């Protein structure tokens, strides 16, 4: 990997920082707290997202940035012959390849997954290869022997063998569980064999019983076939006797019914003759009735017309009164139109004034609320900032000059007093700003007089508008009522003319006394009319009832003759009911025998089918047992294979770990010899993975802190080189964070010289340090960081070595 450029926007201390990286050694130098390590954190955050950032996600934003200000890191780098540009924010991310305009990934998760897959390392592996901090130099010193071996095995990729072995062991446990389940679920083979034998025996017995039942059924059916024709003939003879007897009973009943009809027809003839005589007697009394009915109808029409005339006179009187009232009301509403126009004009002017007053009030209220809210926000932000600075100062005071920085875990030393002074100045500035903001907040708590006056003016104008609106509504209702009155008056005048026309047509006189006399006479004759109508209807049936009497007599004689013929036919039919009963008993007994034989056959066939099912079930159980036995044999073989695979992985990891210590020691010894100018030429790891420095052929029991850091750095460089060799690609980038803290000037220069000598393996080296003397060494680019006291943001100054130009062109969007 080669870094080309990075741009930090509102990321931690960096409000707007752009850096171009070139080959060679780049020194990032500045006091503690100026954002040196934040540059490396920005690189890791751009690549791996929030899991690579310190603290919580909500602490990433620059403290003095607006709440809606964007937080972004844009990183440009090269990897495996391709150029990548990643742009990551708090809620979005994009990854571009080889200068393309469209991203190859455009979400937080997809960008992280793409980069991890292309880099070929997880975040932890990335920090154990490219990055080395002062705390990571002595990481093996704080571990136990087993943990040291595991650490080296993990960073060199040997843990992949353990992961593969774990997978093999998981599969072996699954196989053991399946073996136990198969053995527990498999039945005894002797039980399976006995079950098959029992099923064969049951099937044989059921088949024999079915054959016997079929034979008995055939014999009973033959016996029934002999009796069936005789039983059919007996049934036919009995049915003929019963049919003739039934017809005879019907014929006797019909003869009796015909005799009764003959008698009824004779009685009706006598009744018709009597009705004709009565009708002739009452005819003279009913002669005046038609004239009376015609006169009554005419009098009914005159009575109805007289009632209509009286109703029309009442309607004319009511319409005249209504017209007088409506005309008076129309006179009252004559001036309503002009009043409405005046009120509408006044309402429009009042609304214009009210709208202008509301706009002025809204602007004043918005300005007041915004000012007050901005003051509260700034005061809360200063309080939180003051608390953070005070907490940081207390931690530094507690640590003392000999302690370590609570933020970066580096020795304070000579920076202790300058850091306290800086923090005190920050607290004083924050306190002064806070006092002013408190005073301003108290002033803004009370509503301004101008706002109060504007509210009073708006209320007055609002009341004026309401009063004028009531006037407008009243005048509008009057105009509507006047228009409706004109329509109603016109309709009433038309109705009055119609009523007068109708009453002129109802002029014929009406005699109520005569009307009552006629009605009384009609009512007196009504019962006699009803009786005459009934008698006339009965007399009109004279010819018909005499014909009916003749027909009834003929039907009676025919019914008597048919009944006698059927009685003679029944006497000629033979047969014996006792013989029929004997034949019926014999036939039913034979049929019952057949049905019993058929049921026995069905039962036997059912038992045979069940025995066949049992036989097939036993065969299936036998087949399932054989398949389970085959699966058991297969799983047993696979388990033996995984036992051997587990042992092979164990042996391979043992062999690799045995070769690990000598190879690490060899590479680290070469680095240590260069770092110590040949004083120490050998660094080895004993069987407990303890680091041993050899001087003049003998282990040195005690080394200084600086020498220990050099030995740890040599070991760390050796591990990185081994990782690069095993990954099959060159580690062009190496980042060292605060590794000079305990080294003197000579050893610092040795480190720089070694890094210059390793440029064929580490083409790009980034050194982060607060030791200013390092900047005077052999570095190609110096990035000096300082904190802007006014804005609180980090500032980066770039200096190139004489004659040195960066070979990498920056391309950060």
């Amino acid at each position: 990997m080669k870094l080309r450029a990075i741009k930090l926007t509102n990321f931690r201390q960096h409000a707007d920082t752009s850096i171009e990286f070139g080959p060679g050694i780049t020194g990032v130098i500045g006091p503690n707290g100026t954002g040196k390590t934040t540059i490396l954190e920005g690189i890791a955050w751009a690549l791996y997202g929030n899991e690579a950032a310190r603290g919580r996600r909500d602490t990433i934003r620059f403290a003095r940035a607006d709440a809606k200000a964007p937080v972004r890191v844009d990183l440009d780098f090269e990897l495996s012959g391709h150029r990548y540009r990643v742009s990551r924010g708090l809620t979005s991310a994009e990854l571009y390849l080889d200068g393309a305009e469209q991203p190859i990934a455009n979400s937080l998760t997809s960008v992280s997954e793409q980069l991890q897959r292309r880099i070929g390392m997880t975040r932890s592996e990335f920090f154990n290869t490219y990055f080395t901090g002062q705390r990571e130099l002595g990481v093996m010193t704080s571990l136990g022997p087993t943990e040291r071996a595991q650490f080296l095995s993990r960073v060199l990729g040997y843990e992949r063998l353990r992961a593969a072995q774990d997978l093999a062991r998981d599969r072996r446990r699954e196989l053991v569980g399946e073996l136990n389940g198969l053995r527990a679920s498999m039945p005894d083979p002797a039980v399976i064999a006995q079950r098959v034998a029992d099923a064969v025996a049951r099937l044989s017995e059921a088949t024999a019983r079915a054959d016997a039942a079929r034979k008995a059924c055939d014999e009973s059916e033959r016996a029934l076939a002999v009796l069936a024709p005789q039983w059919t003939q007996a049934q036919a003879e009995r049915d003929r006797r019963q049919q003739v007897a039934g017809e005879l009973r019907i014929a006797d009943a019909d003869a009796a019914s015909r005799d009764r009809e003959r008698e009824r027809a004779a009685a009706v003839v006598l009744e018709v003759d009597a009705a004709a005589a009565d009708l002739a007697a009452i005819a003279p009394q009913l002669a005046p009735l038609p004239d009376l009915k015609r006169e009554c109808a005419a009098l009914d029409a005159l009575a109805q017309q007289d009632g209509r005339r009286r109703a029309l006179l009442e309607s004319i009187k009511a319409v005249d009164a209504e017209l007088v009232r409506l005309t008076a009301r129309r006179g009252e509403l004559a001036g309503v139109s002009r009043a409405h126009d005046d009120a509408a004009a006044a309402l429009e002017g009042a609304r214009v004034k009210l709208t202008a007053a509301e706009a002025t009030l809204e602007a004043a209220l918005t300005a007041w609320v915004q000012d007050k809210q901005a003051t509260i926000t700034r005061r809360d932000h200063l309080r939180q900032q003051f608390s953070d600075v005070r907490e940081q100062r207390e931690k530094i005071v507690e640590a003392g000059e000999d302690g370590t920085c609570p933020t970066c875990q580096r020795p304070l030393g000579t920076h202790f007093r300058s850091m306290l002074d800086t923090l005190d100045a920050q607290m004083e500035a924050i306190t002064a700003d806070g006092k002013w903001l408190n005073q301003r907040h108290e002033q803004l708590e009370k509503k301004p007089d101008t706002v109060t006056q504007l509210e009073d003016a708006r209320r007055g104008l609002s009341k004026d508008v309401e009063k004028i609106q009531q006037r407008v509504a009243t005048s509008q209702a009057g105009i509507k009522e006047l228009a409706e009155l004109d329509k109603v008056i016109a309709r009433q005048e038309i109705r009055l003319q119609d009523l007068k026309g109708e009453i002129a047509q109802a002029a014929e006189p009406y005699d109520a006394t005569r009307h009552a006399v006629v009605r009384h006479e009609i009512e007196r004759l009504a019962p006699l009319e009803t009786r005459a109508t009934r008698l006339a209807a009965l007399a009109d049936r004279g010819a018909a009832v005499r014909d009916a009497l003749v027909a009834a007599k003929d039907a009676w004689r025919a019914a008597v003759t048919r009944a006698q013929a059927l009685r003679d036919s029944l006497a000629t039919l033979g047969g014996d009911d006792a013989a029929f009963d004997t034949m019926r008993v014999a036939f039913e007994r034979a049929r019952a025998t057949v049905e019993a034989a058929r049921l026995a056959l069905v039962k036997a066939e059912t038992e045979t089918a069940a025995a066949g099912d049992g036989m097939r079930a036993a065969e299936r159980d036998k087949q399932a047992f054989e398949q389970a036995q085959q699966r058991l044999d297969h799983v047993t073989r696979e388990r033996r294979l995984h036992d051997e695979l587990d042992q092979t992985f164990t042996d391979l990891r043992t062999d690799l770990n045995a070769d690990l210590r000598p190879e690490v020691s060899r590479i680290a010894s070469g680095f240590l010899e260069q770092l110590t100018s040949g004083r120490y030429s050998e660094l080895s790891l004993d069987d407990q993975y303890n680091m041993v420095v050899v001087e003049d052929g003998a282990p040195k029991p005690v080394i200084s802190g600086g020498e220990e850091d050099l030995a740890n750095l040599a070991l760390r460089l050796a591990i990185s080189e081994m990782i690069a060799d095993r990954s099959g690609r060159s580690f062009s980038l190496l980042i060292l964070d605060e590794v000079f803290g305990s080294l003197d000037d000579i050893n610092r220069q040795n480190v720089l010289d070694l890094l210059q000598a390793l440029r064929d393996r580490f083409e790009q080296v980034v050194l982060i340090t607060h030791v200013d003397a390092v900047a005077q060494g052999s570095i190609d680019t110096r990035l000096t960081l300082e904190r802007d006291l006014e804005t609180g943001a980090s500032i980066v100054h770039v200096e190139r070595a004489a004659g040195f130009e960066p070979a990498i062109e920056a391309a950060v969007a």
Side-chain angles (χ1 to χ4, degrees):
M1 173 183 285
K2 293 181 181 180
L3 300 177
R4 298 177 63 87
I6 188 171
K7 180 178 177 60
L8 306 173
T9 304
N10 294 320
F11 186 81
R12 301 283 192 208
Q13 304 99 311
H14 293 272
D16 185 12
T17 298
S18 298
I19 299 175
E20 300 177 7
F21 295 98
I25 301 176
T26 299
V28 183
I29 302 161
N32 291 331
T34 55
K36 301 186 301 299
T37 304
T38 301
I39 297 174
L40 304 187
E41 184 184 7
I43 295 173
W45 188 67
L47 296 175
Y48 291 96
N50 289 329
E51 66 171 332
R54 296 171 292 172
R56 304 185 310 274
R57 171 184 166 183
D58 55 2
T59 64
I60 293 178
R61 188 187 304 275
F62 177 45
R64 298 193 184 184
D66 184 76
K68 296 183 179 180
V71 177
R72 199 163 202 82
V73 174
D74 298 281
L75 178 66
D76 189 5
F77 65 95
E78 293 181 358
L79 179 66
S80 301
H82 291 282
R83 183 171 175 180
Y84 296 88
R85 180 169 64 86
V86 56
S87 181
R88 184 184 294 274
L90 293 176
T91 59
S92 63
E94 293 178 334
L95 177 63
Y96 297 86
L97 176 64
D98 294 332
E101 294 183 359
Q102 297 298 324
I104 61 174
N106 58 2
S107 68
L108 294 174
T109 303
S110 63
V111 168
S112 299
E113 291 175 351
Q114 282 273 5
L115 287 172
Q116 180 170 322
R117 182 165 58 252
R118 291 171 184 266
I119 295 173
M121 296 181 183
T122 64
R123 181 192 63 83
S124 177
E125 292 169 343
F126 185 79
F127 274 91
N128 283 324
T129 53
Y130 287 118
F131 281 30
T132 298
Q134 188 176 23
R135 285 175 292 178
E136 286 77 18
L137 282 178
V139 65
M140 291 182 60
T141 306
S142 61
L143 302 176
T146 303
E147 293 172 330
R148 295 187 190 117
Q150 291 176 351
F151 171 77
L152 288 175
S153 179
R154 183 170 60 254
V155 300
L156 291 174
Y158 295 165
E159 282 302 299
R160 297 175 184 173
L161 295 176
R162 181 185 295 277
Q165 186 175 20
D166 289 341
L167 292 175
R169 288 178 176 175
D170 290 342
R171 178 55 182 162
R172 183 176 64 180
R173 282 193 292 270
E174 293 175 358
L175 293 171
V176 170
E178 186 176 0
L179 283 174
N180 293 335
L182 287 171
R183 289 169 179 157
S185 62
M186 289 177 63
D188 188 350
V191 174
I192 295 295
Q194 184 62 43
R195 189 178 301 168
V196 173
D198 292 344
V200 172
R202 284 197 301 273
L203 180 60
S204 178
E205 294 173 0
T207 303
R209 286 196 295 271
D211 293 340
R214 192 175 293 105
K215 182 177 180 182
C217 184
D218 292 341
E219 292 176 354
S220 63
E221 286 179 347
R222 283 195 295 271
L224 179 63
V226 173
L227 289 175
Q230 301 174 13
W231 167 244
T232 301
Q233 183 179 358
Q235 281 182 313
E237 292 176 352
R238 186 201 62 171
D239 291 344
R240 178 59 183 163
R241 288 196 303 272
Q242 290 179 346
Q243 180 182 1
V244 173
E247 290 177 355
L248 178 59
R249 288 193 296 271
I250 292 172
D252 289 341
D254 185 52
S257 175
R258 297 296 181 182
D259 187 40
R260 289 192 295 273
E261 289 180 358
R262 178 178 59 83
E263 292 175 354
R264 284 196 298 271
V268 171
V269 170
L270 294 176
E271 184 180 1
V272 168
D273 292 342
D278 290 343
L279 181 62
I282 64 175
Q285 301 178 41
L286 294 174
L289 184 60
D291 294 336
L292 289 173
K293 287 183 177 181
R294 285 191 293 272
E295 184 180 1
C296 185
L299 289 172
D300 287 341
L302 291 175
Q304 184 177 6
Q305 190 179 46
D306 185 65
R308 174 62 179 165
R309 185 177 60 80
R310 288 195 298 270
L312 288 173
L313 290 174
E314 291 295 328
S315 298
I316 289 172
K317 183 178 179 181
V319 170
D320 284 337
E322 180 68 11
L323 282 171
V324 171
R325 186 187 65 81
L326 294 174
T327 302
R329 178 58 180 165
R330 181 170 61 180
E332 295 174 359
L333 297 175
V336 71
S337 178
R338 176 174 297 177
H340 173 70
D341 294 340
D342 295 341
L347 178 61
E348 181 65 24
R351 283 178 173 172
V352 171
K353 293 179 181 179
L354 178 59
T355 301
E358 287 178 342
T360 305
L361 175 59
E362 181 66 22
L365 283 173
T366 300
W368 172 51
V369 171
Q370 288 178 346
D371 196 4
K372 183 167 66 173
Q373 186 60 45
T375 302
I376 293 173
T377 302
R378 291 178 59 194
R379 186 184 63 180
D380 293 343
H381 176 71
L382 282 177
R383 286 176 176 173
Q384 182 62 42
Q385 187 178 359
F386 183 84
S387 177
D388 294 342
V389 174
R390 182 176 59 189
E391 181 181 357
Q392 184 178 5
R393 187 185 187 284
E394 290 173 353
K395 289 181 179 180
I396 291 175
V397 171
E398 182 180 354
E401 294 185 5
D402 297 330
T404 58
C405 177
T407 302
C408 63
Q409 300 298 320
R410 305 183 184 104
L412 292 169
T414 58
H415 298 279
F416 173 77
R417 179 52 54 189
S418 63
M419 291 183 69
L420 287 181
D421 293 340
T422 300
L423 294 174
D424 288 339
Q426 291 180 10
M427 291 172 64
E428 290 177 1
I430 293 171
T431 301
D433 291 344
K435 289 180 179 179
W436 181 86
L437 288 173
N438 283 331
Q439 294 174 359
R440 180 59 178 164
H441 178 261
E442 292 176 357
Q443 294 173 357
L444 293 173
E445 278 298 311
K446 181 182 178 182
K447 186 182 294 185
D449 294 339
T450 54
V451 173
T452 304
Q453 294 170 1
L454 288 172
E455 288 178 340
D456 294 341
R458 183 193 61 180
R459 281 192 292 270
L461 290 171
S462 180
K463 292 179 180 179
D464 292 342
V465 169
E466 291 177 359
K467 292 178 180 178
I468 298 174
Q469 284 177 335
Q470 293 176 356
R471 288 169 50 197
V472 170
T474 302
S475 61
Q476 285 178 339
I479 292 173
K480 184 177 180 181
E481 183 182 359
L482 182 60
E484 189 65 26
L485 280 174
D486 291 337
K487 295 179 182 178
V488 172
I489 289 173
R491 287 197 298 269
Q492 292 295 345
E493 290 176 346
I494 294 173
R495 185 184 177 198
L496 182 60
Q497 296 299 322
D498 293 341
L499 290 174
K500 290 179 179 180
E502 289 183 22
I503 200 169
Q505 298 175 2
E508 188 175 350
Y510 165 66
D511 188 353
T513 303
R514 177 57 185 171
H515 194 184
V517 171
V518 171
R519 283 180 176 175
H520 176 73
E521 188 65 18
I522 291 174
E523 292 174 357
R524 184 182 67 80
L525 295 174
L528 189 62
E529 182 186 20
T530 302
R531 181 184 173 192
T533 301
R534 182 177 63 80
L535 291 174
L538 187 60
D540 291 342
R541 294 173 55 197
V545 297
R546 287 182 176 81
D547 294 340
L549 177 59
V550 173
K553 289 179 180 180
D554 294 341
W556 170 71
R557 294 188 189 96
V560 171
T561 301
R562 174 171 171 71
Q564 185 58 43
L566 289 172
R567 194 172 286 107
D568 295 341
S569 176
L570 182 61
T572 61
L573 290 176
D576 186 357
D577 289 341
F580 175 79
D581 292 340
T582 301
M583 176 58 68
R584 178 176 58 79
V585 171
F587 179 77
E588 289 180 352
R589 185 182 297 113
R591 186 169 60 183
T593 302
V594 171
E595 291 177 355
R598 288 175 178 172
L599 290 175
L601 177 59
V602 171
K603 180 179 179 181
E605 289 176 345
T606 301
E607 292 177 352
T608 302
D613 293 339
M615 181 65 186
R616 287 187 289 274
E619 291 292 341
R620 287 195 298 271
D621 292 343
K622 180 180 178 182
Q623 185 179 5
F625 173 79
E626 292 173 351
Q627 291 175 351
Q629 184 63 48
Q630 294 175 0
R631 178 61 183 170
L632 181 64
D633 296 340
H634 173 73
V635 174
T636 301
R637 290 192 298 271
E638 189 175 356
R639 180 203 168 175
R640 294 194 187 111
L641 173 63
H642 280 78
D643 288 340
E644 296 176 0
L645 185 61
D646 179 60
Q647 185 60 45
T648 300
F649 274 125
T650 300
D651 295 342
L652 179 59
R653 289 175 57 248
T654 300
D655 294 341
L656 289 173
N657 286 330
D659 296 336
L660 174 62
R661 289 187 294 107
E663 187 173 0
V664 172
S665 300
R666 177 184 60 80
I667 299 173
S669 296
F671 288 147
L672 182 62
E673 183 176 9
Q674 290 179 273
L675 290 173
T676 61
S677 302
R679 178 178 179 182
Y680 303 119
S681 60
E682 183 177 352
L683 186 152
S684 63
L685 298 175
D686 61 14
D687 55 358
Q688 297 295 313
Y689 285 88
N690 292 311
M691 185 174 60
V692 179
V693 177
V694 179
E695 183 179 20
D696 297 332
K700 187 174 183 181
V702 178
I703 60 177
S704 65
E707 291 172 335
E708 183 179 5
D709 280 351
L710 289 175
N712 284 325
L713 179 58
L715 181 60
R716 191 67 174 84
L717 293 173
I719 293 172
S720 296
E721 183 166 309
M722 289 182 66
I723 294 171
D725 291 341
R726 280 153 178 72
S727 65
R729 58 176 179 262
S730 173
F731 258 45
S732 59
L733 173 65
L734 180 63
I735 300 175
L736 303 176
D737 187 10
E738 295 291 1
V739 297
F740 297 106
S742 60
L743 303 182
D744 56 22
D745 294 339
I746 296 176
N747 286 327
R748 291 176 191 144
Q749 188 58 46
N750 287 339
V751 172
L752 293 173
D753 293 342
L754 174 61
L755 294 176
Q756 288 286 0
L758 295 177
R759 290 186 63 163
D760 58 335
R761 280 173 283 182
F762 303 110
E763 180 182 348
Q764 193 176 48
V765 178
V766 179
L767 297 176
I768 306 233
T769 180
H770 66 278
V771 181
D772 189 67
V774 174
Q776 309 304 324
S778 302
I779 64 174
D780 301 299
T781 303
R782 171 190 174 104
L783 304 179
T784 305
L785 277 72
E786 63 179 358
R787 185 171 181 272
D788 189 330
L789 296 179
E790 181 178 351
T791 64
S794 296
I795 302 175
V796 180
H797 301 284
V798 181
E799 298 179 27
R800 309 287 184 186
F804 179 83
E805 291 295 336
I808 299 177
E809 177 188 356
V812 177

